[in-house]
Amino acid sequence: MLLSWIRAVISRRRWIKFASGILLGFTLSLALLTACQPAADVTDSAPSVPDGGGSGGTVRIGMTASDIPLTAGAPNSGFEGVRFTGMTLYDALVTWDLSVSDQPAPLVPQLATEWSVDEADPRLWTFKLREGVKFHDGSDFNADAVVFNFEKIFDENAPHYDARQSAQVIARLPAYESIRKVDDYTVEITTKTPSSLLINQLPFMFFSSPAHYEALGEDWTAFEQDPSGTGPFMLEELVPRERAVLVPNPNYWDENRMAKADRIELIPIPEGTTRANALLAGQVDWIEAPPADTLAMLESRGFEITSNGYPHLWPWQFSFAEGSPWLDKRVRQAANLAINREEIQALLGGNMIPAKGILLPDDPAFGNPAFDVHYDPDAALALLEEAGYGPDNPLDVKVLISTSGSGQMQPQPMNELIQQQLAAVGINVDFEVLVWETLFDNWRQGAEHPDSRGAHATNITFATHDPFAAMVRFVYTDSAPPNSLNWGLYSNPEVDALIEELQTTFDPEANLAVYQQLHETLVEDAPFLFVAHDVGPRAMRSEVGGFVQAKSWFQDITPVYLTE
Amino acid sequence: MFLYICRRIVYTVPIALAVAVVCFSLVHLAPGDPLSAVIPADAPAEVVERIVKAYGMDRPLPVQFFSWLGRAIQGDLGVSVATGRPVAAEISRALGSTFILAFAAALLGFLFGILFGTIAAFLQGRWSDRLVTGIALFGVSVPHYWLGLLLVIIFSVQLDWLPSLGAGSGSFMDRFPYLILPAVTMSFIPMGIVTRTVRSTVSELLGSEFVTSLRARGLSNVSIAKHVAKNAAPSVLAVMGLQFGYLLGGSILVETVFSWPGTGYLLNGAIFQRDIPLLQGIILTLSMFFVALNLFVDVLQTLFDPRIRRS
C-alpha cells in the first residue's frame, strides 16, 4: 500500500511539480502567518501599585535552571530552586527578612512565632507555632503537620518518607536529631549536640500539607503536580521543562507579603544568551544572571539592571597538607596583599565587591580583623622575603580551577589576572584546569587525595549566609574530608574552640560576638585567598516594579508587579 | 522479503545490546559523582552513604547494568534522579516535541534540497547551479548554534515577528509561530546534504546511456525527469532516511538555543545534572530510533530497487 503510494507520487505525478507546489504553499503560509503574528507577547497591563492579592499583571521570569525545580516542598536546583519554588509555595519555621537591602538579610520568625532552648539540656528547642495558618487546600497548619514533614525528610521508616525530598534537605539540617509534638501548636526539636546553628538551618525546611498528600493517594509525584503549602503563592500550572505558573494565595496569613502580581510565570532558560534574547524579544520580563557581556547592551536598551552584594565568596581555599607553601601564615598574608581587587572588579565591569574577609564588609559579624586585606605589593614582598622567598628562591604553587560552574563568576579571566598579579611579587602559579563537576567532587576528597594532583589550592565559590555555610564546614578540624569540605585540612585549635563556643552560645548578642571573633581570627590567619563577593545581577523590563534586591541568595517576589 | 526483514530485525539485537553497554559505560566513566545533582557538597559522609544506597548506586556496576537492562527490556527505564519522574514518561513527552520539530525541519530541508539539487543538476554549470551549490555548502558548514542566534536576533529581537524560545501552548496554530525559527535552523544541514546528493545523482543519471536513449526517442524533458527521479530515488531516500534519523535525535544546540522542550534539550539538562537514568534512557531510545529508521530505509530501498532485492 505504502509502496504503491510512494511509487505513484514519485513516478506518476511529476514529483518535481508536486514538490514545488508544496514548497510554494508552505512558503506562502509561512509568510502569511509571519505577517499575521503579533509582536512578542503582550503582557497584561496593571494599575500603578497594587495592594496585594493580585492585579499586578503577569511577570515572566527566565530562570537559569534547565527544568522547573521540584515543587513538593524540597526544591532541587540549588538556591535558585529554594528561591522560586520553595519560598513562594511554602513557608518555614524561620526565614530571612528579604525586604531590606542595605544589610545582609536577618533571620525572622515565620511559621514559628517564638522559640527557646532548654537551659538544663541545650539540645532541646521548643517552638511555638503560628495559629490560624492554612495550607492551600484549606487544611490546618499545626504540630502534626510539622512532625509529618520532618518525618518525610528524616525518618526512613515513615510511610510518607521521600528519598528524593530527603536528599535535598537532610544535608542542610545537620544539627537535627528528632522531633516531638508537645501540643497542637508546640513542637520540641532535639539536636545531636548542643547547637545554636539549628536556627540558621531551619529556613531550608518547608512544610507540605499532610491532608493534601493523603487526598492525592499518598503519592509525592502527584503532589509535585498539585502541591499545597502555606506560602504566598499557589501553583496553577506545571509543564516540566517549559513553565510553572504561580498565582497569589488569597488566604495568605501575612498581610505584608500578599503577592501583588496576578501571575508569576517561571520559565527555565539555561543558556545565558538565550535568556538575554528572550528579554530583548519581550518573551520574559525578568532574567536571572544575564551574561556579563550583555549587561551594558541591556542597560543601553532601557532594561533595569539590579545588583547587590550577597553572602558569597570567590576564594582560593589553601592546602595545609605537608609540603604546602601556604603552611606559612606570612605567605598566605602576602598573597592576600598582592592581589589588586579593584583591577579584578574592573575586569568584571564593576560587578563584584572586593573581599576583605569571608563575610561581606558590612555583615554584622565582620568584626574588626587585625589583618587588613588590601592591595599592598611592597608589604607582600617584605613578608615573602621574611618567609625565605625571593628571586633566588621563587615560590611555585599549583591551583585547581574550572572554566565555568555555578557561582564561579568568570573563573578563567579572573584567575589569569590573579596569576599575573602574584607573579609580580614572585609567586608563580600553575593552573590545573578541571571540568567543573570534577573540581566540585574533589572538594569533598581533600588536598591529599590523588585526584587533587598535588595542588596547593582549589578555587570553588560558596555561600556565606550563616556560620556553618561560611566557616564551620571549611575550617573546623572535624570537617576534614570525608566529613565535610575542609579540603585544605586546615586545623587551628583557636578556631576550633571558637566554633565550639559558637555552637553552645544561645544568647543572640553573645553569639554574634563569638561569631565576630571567629571571623576576625580567620581573616588574620588567612586560610583563603579572599578575592570577591558576587553581586547577583538581574535584568528586567523597566515596567517591573516593587522588586527589592536583598543582600541574599534568596529574593522575595511577593512585592513584584508589572505596570505600563 | 519477509525473511529479509526478519533477518534485519534479528541483526538489531546485538546492535541494541552494544548501544546499551556503550551508553551505560560512557555515563559512568564521565567525570563527576553520579549523584552530585542531589547530594549537596557539604553533606556528611553518612548522609551521602544513605542517599547512594537509596538510589541503588552502591551496587557493583555489572549488577546495576543488568538490573537496568532487565527493566529497560520491559519498558521501564527507571526514575530520573533529579526530578523523580519516570524516565519513560520524560522521554515520551520530549519525543513529541522533537518529532514535530524534526518533521517540520525535514519537510523544509528535503523539499528545498530536492528542488535545489534538481535545478542544479539540470542547469549544471550555469549561475543558478553555482548559486544553489553555494547555498548547499552554506547549509552543511554553518554552525547551527550561530545560525539560531542570528535568526533570533533578526526575527525576534529586531523585527519582533517571531517568538525566540519555547514551544508555546494552546492549539496547533498558537504553537506554530514557535516552531518556525528552530525548524528553519535545523533544516539547513539536511537541505545542504540532500541538495548535494540530488545534484550529483541526477547529474550522473543525466549523462547515462539510458537518458541519451530516451532523448534519441524524442521524449520531453518532463518525461525524462520522471525516469531520472525513479532511478535517483533509492540513493536520495537513503540519505534522507539518515538525515531524518539525525533530526529525530534532536539537536542539543538548537533545542537549547530555543529552549525547545525536545530530546536534545532533555539530554542537555540530563548531562549537566548528571542524571544517569535519564541519560541512559535518552541515549538508548534515540539509538533504537536510529536503528529502526535504518531498517525502514533499507526495506524501502529494497522495495524500490529490484537489484538490491535480487542480490
Side-chain angles (χ1 to χ4, degrees), chain A residues 316 397-401 412 415-416 418-419 429-433:
Chain A
W316 281 3
V397 296
K398 184 155 96 173
V399 184
L400 301 177
I401 65 165
Q412 200 163 341
N415 274 309
E416 282 168 0
I418 291 169
Q419 187 183 37
V429 180
D430 183 23
F431 292 126
E432 187 83 42
V433 185

Side-chain angles (χ1 to χ4, degrees), chain A residues 6 15 22-23 26 33 37 67 76 154 156 164 167 170 241-243 268-271 274 283 438 441 444 473, chain B residues 31-33 38 40-43 50 82-83 85 108 114-115 145 161 164-165 169 176-177 229 257 265-266 304:
Chain A
I6 293 170
W15 66 272
I22 290 189
L23 192 66
F26 187 84
L33 276 160
Q37 171 67 14
D67 198 354
N76 60 344
F154 291 95
E156 283 174 277
R164 190 164 27 115
I170 196 165
R241 285 186 305 285
E242 290 187 47
R243 65 186 168 279
I269 315 176
E271 214 284 314
T274 306
Q283 269 195 279
T438 311
D441 289 341
R444 194 199 296 278
R473 56 186 178 156
Chain B
D33 189 317
V38 289
D42 49 358
R50 196 163 141 182
T83 66
R85 292 191 281 263
L108 279 173
I114 290 169
L115 180 70
Y145 181 81
W161 286 359
S164 66
L165 85 162
S169 58
F176 186 71
V257 164
Y265 186 60
L266 187 65
F304 265 111

Side-chain angles (χ1 to χ4, degrees), chain A residues 273-459:
Chain A
T273 312
T274 306
R275 269 199 309 283
N277 281 336
L279 184 67
L280 287 163
Q283 269 195 279
V284 293
D285 307 300
W286 156 335
I287 57 170
E288 295 283 285
D293 54 358
T294 63
L295 288 174
M297 181 268 293
L298 289 170
E299 205 160 16
S300 71
R301 291 196 174 209
F303 293 96
E304 298 279 342
I305 308 292
T306 70
S307 64
N308 201 351
Y310 65 97
H312 162 279
L313 180 66
W314 194 104
W316 281 3
Q317 188 174 348
F318 294 139
S319 164
F320 293 82
E322 199 181 334
S324 171
W326 307 118
L327 284 166
D328 188 330
K329 186 166 87 173
R330 292 167 297 188
V331 178
R332 302 196 295 272
Q333 290 189 338
N336 270 293
L337 293 170
I339 300 297
N340 185 344
R341 293 164 184 81
E342 277 69 33
E343 225 173 73
I344 304 171
Q345 192 176 27
L347 172 80
L348 298 177
N351 287 300
M352 67 162 256
I353 292 174
K356 293 185 78 66
I358 298 172
L359 302 174
L360 281 164
D362 59 357
D363 193 296
F366 187 87
N368 189 20
F371 175 57
D372 179 23
V373 176
H374 67 292
Y375 178 51
D376 188 345
D378 294 334
L381 279 166
L383 278 169
L384 284 171
E385 195 181 341
E386 200 181 308
Y389 294 102
D392 299 333
N393 184 24
L395 175 56
D396 297 317
V397 296
K398 184 155 96 173
V399 184
L400 301 177
I401 65 165
S402 64
T403 53
S404 63
S406 173
Q408 294 287 91
M409 302 169 78
Q410 296 188 45
Q412 200 163 341
M414 289 170 77
N415 274 309
E416 282 168 0
L417 186 51
I418 291 169
Q419 187 183 37
Q420 286 173 28
Q421 293 173 347
L422 290 179
V425 296
I427 301 177
N428 301 318
V429 180
D430 183 23
F431 292 126
E432 187 83 42
V433 185
L434 303 180
V435 175
W436 164 240
E437 286 75 15
T438 311
L439 182 71
F440 194 74
D441 289 341
N442 174 254
W443 214 9
R444 194 199 296 278
Q445 294 172 323
E448 287 183 335
H449 194 277
D451 286 359
S452 297
R453 305 171 196 201
H456 304 115
T458 189
N459 170 223

Side-chain angles (χ1 to χ4, degrees), chain B residues 10-199:
Chain B
V10 171
Y11 286 166
T12 61
V13 175
I15 296 173
L17 204 61
V19 164
V21 172
V22 170
C23 84
F24 186 87
S25 312
L26 278 181
V27 293
H28 280 88
L29 286 173
D33 189 317
L35 288 173
S36 56
V38 289
I39 304 179
D42 49 358
E46 72 268 18
V47 170
V48 175
E49 202 178 309
R50 196 163 141 182
I51 295 170
V52 167
K53 200 173 169 188
Y55 280 92
M57 301 275 186
D58 57 333
R59 299 170 298 167
L61 277 185
V63 175
Q64 287 185 48
F65 173 71
F66 285 111
S67 153
W68 170 72
L69 190 65
R71 283 185 285 110
I73 289 169
Q74 298 166 51
D76 176 8
L77 295 172
V79 173
S80 158
V81 168
T83 66
R85 292 191 281 263
V87 169
E90 291 279 80
I91 295 174
S92 65
R93 198 181 297 121
L95 272 178
S97 297
T98 292
F99 272 138
I100 293 170
L101 184 57
F103 274 115
L107 186 70
L108 279 173
F110 295 168
L111 285 181
F112 274 104
I114 290 169
L115 180 70
F116 288 167
T118 311
I119 290 171
F122 272 89
L123 304 173
Q124 212 168 2
R126 296 194 200 171
W127 68 267
S128 43
D129 173 29
R130 284 195 288 274
L131 176 70
V132 164
T133 310
I135 293 172
L137 199 64
F138 175 78
V140 292
S141 4
V142 67
H144 273 181
Y145 181 81
W146 174 83
L147 181 66
L149 285 176
L150 188 73
L151 291 176
V152 165
I153 289 168
I154 295 171
F155 293 101
S156 304
V157 176
Q158 298 297 338
L159 298 174
D160 214 5
W161 286 359
L162 294 166
S164 66
L165 85 162
S169 58
S171 69
F172 176 74
M173 290 315 288
D174 290 335
R175 288 169 175 259
F176 186 71
Y178 290 85
L179 179 62
I180 296 172
L181 289 184
V184 169
T185 308
M186 272 189 79
S187 71
F188 264 66
I189 283 185
M191 185 270 290
I193 290 173
V194 171
T195 300
R196 287 157 65 92
T197 309
V198 170
R199 183 184 178 277

Side-chain angles (χ1 to χ4, degrees), chain B residues 225-244:
Chain B
K226 284 199 293 186
H227 287 278
V228 170
K230 194 173 175 183
N231 280 277
S235 15
V236 176
L237 265 179
V239 172
M240 293 203 304
L242 279 176
Q243 286 305 308
F244 192 57

